[in-house]
Amino acid sequence: MRMLITGGAGCLGSNLIERYFPKGYEICVIDNFATGKREVVPVQAGLHLVEGSIADEKLVQETFAFFKPTHVIHSAAAYKDPHDWAEDTATNVLGTVYVAKAALQAGVKRFINFQTALCYGRPNELPIPANHPTAPFTSYGISKTAGEAYLLQSGLPVVSLRLANICGPRLAIGPIPTFYKRLKAGQNCFCSDTMRDFLDMSDFFELMDLVLEENAPTGVFNVSTGEGKSILDVFNAVANYFGMAVPEVPVVPAGADDVVKVVLDPSETERVFGWKAKCNFEETINNQLRWYDSYGVNDIFSHLSSTSSHDKK
Ligand SMILES: NC(=O)c1ccc[n+]([C@@H]2O[C@H](COP(=O)([O-])OP(=O)(O)OC[C@H]3O[C@@H](n4cnc5c(N)ncnc54)[C@H](O)[C@@H]3O)[C@@H](O)[C@H]2O)c1
């Protein structure tokens, strides 16, 4: 398998390198390091790095011509400045289109796309089924939804995975790193009055293995435990991990650009792939916090305008 990972220097991409490179897959990463880190792509025989943007059509064409991927994992996304609509559009729409066109020309066997649950906007039912209408309203959500729509029209064998908050090495967004960093430093926290779903990297990997199998189904799938947890639940879990008497914490209404409750319904994914998340919420949080104990928390990114402790990719 020759696997091109766009955004491979990011959180999910780098975890996928760690999973698939040791299995002998040839891997090529294209990344502009907007939020990713160069050091997670240690170039060596069989692991290539192309530095640059997927919004550069010539670079995308050259990358496909040199690497000749059989599989594409499209993990690159722009989100770090919610006011930079041009960058979100360039990467998430135009970049996606360039990668899709090159993948079509190359005749790739499988194209895996990672989608945000923000594609559903403010859902009218919970948990959100994968056939719920899309109604994004943030720059990140709008541009990612447009990119996904092009992919689904492209004729490529696309699997678009709409993801819960995936927890694992190098997670640098959302309430878990924020609470870990602030509680450890003795700083005050607040919780937004919102609910999210969390999935352990081990469960994500199990699904990825199934999705990459030859002749596996294509289409749009929700990836989640299906279990919603409040941000206060996350705060309490982090405080418990530190063995603290759980401090009083203000719970504030969701920001104007936020969604109050996001919980994805994975039942169709479970039925089609015979997959089910195994790791429960406490294990997922504790795995994450143990990782921060060993490796620390770096920059924390957000795609929300309001200062928030709880954003959602
Ligand atoms: N991690 C999650 O829980 C989660 C949830 C929902 C959706 N997603 C989606 O999964 C994908 C990966 O997310 P992540 O958590 O690893 O984020 P991340 O920020 O760690 O990774 C994104 C990578 O894309 C790179 N990138 C940005 N713009 C680029 C461009 N123009 N050209 C090339 N590379 C570019 C960044 O430098 C980064 O390395 C994204 O598409 C995101 O929308 C992730």
Side-chain angles (χ1 to χ4, degrees), residues 177-188:
T178 307
F179 292 147
Y180 178 91
K181 203 169 182 175
R182 295 188 68 84
L183 283 176
K184 201 166 183 185
Q187 293 170 320
N188 291 335

Side-chain angles (χ1 to χ4, degrees), residues 10-12 31-32 34-36 53-54 75 79 91 140 144 166 313:
C11 177
L12 295 190
D31 203 297
N32 66 355
T35 51
S53 173
I54 56 166
S75 192
Y79 58 87
T91 294
Y140 173 54
K144 288 282 295 184
I166 312 292
K313 283 257 289 295

Side-chain angles (χ1 to χ4, degrees), residues 23-35:
K23 290 186 194 291
Y25 298 3
E26 190 97 1
I27 293 180
C28 178
V29 165
I30 179 165
D31 203 297
N32 66 355
F33 306 115
T35 51

Side-chain angles (χ1 to χ4, degrees), residues 6-14 30-37 40 50 52-56 74-79 87 90-92 95 113-118 140 144 161-167 170-173 199 201 204 301 312-313:
T6 72
C11 177
L12 295 190
S14 59
I30 179 165
D31 203 297
N32 66 355
F33 306 115
T35 51
K37 300 242 182 301
V40 301
V50 175
S53 173
I54 56 166
D56 177 345
H74 182 38
S75 192
Y79 58 87
E87 180 53 40
T91 294
N92 303 343
N113 180 56
F114 297 146
Q115 175 62 306
T116 169
L118 293 172
Y140 173 54
K144 288 282 295 184
L161 300 178
R162 295 178 173 171
L163 305 175
N165 288 271
I166 312 292
C167 300
R170 295 174 287 281
L171 175 69
I173 189 163
L199 187 83
M201 191 64 74
F204 175 65
F301 295 105
K312 171 82 175 85
K313 283 257 289 295

Side-chain angles (χ1 to χ4, degrees), residues 4-5 15 20 28 58 88 140 157 196 254 279 302 306:
L4 175 68
I5 309 183
N15 277 284
Y20 293 119
C28 178
K58 187 163 167 279
D88 287 356
Y140 173 54
R196 296 292 182 258
C279 204
S302 174
S306 46

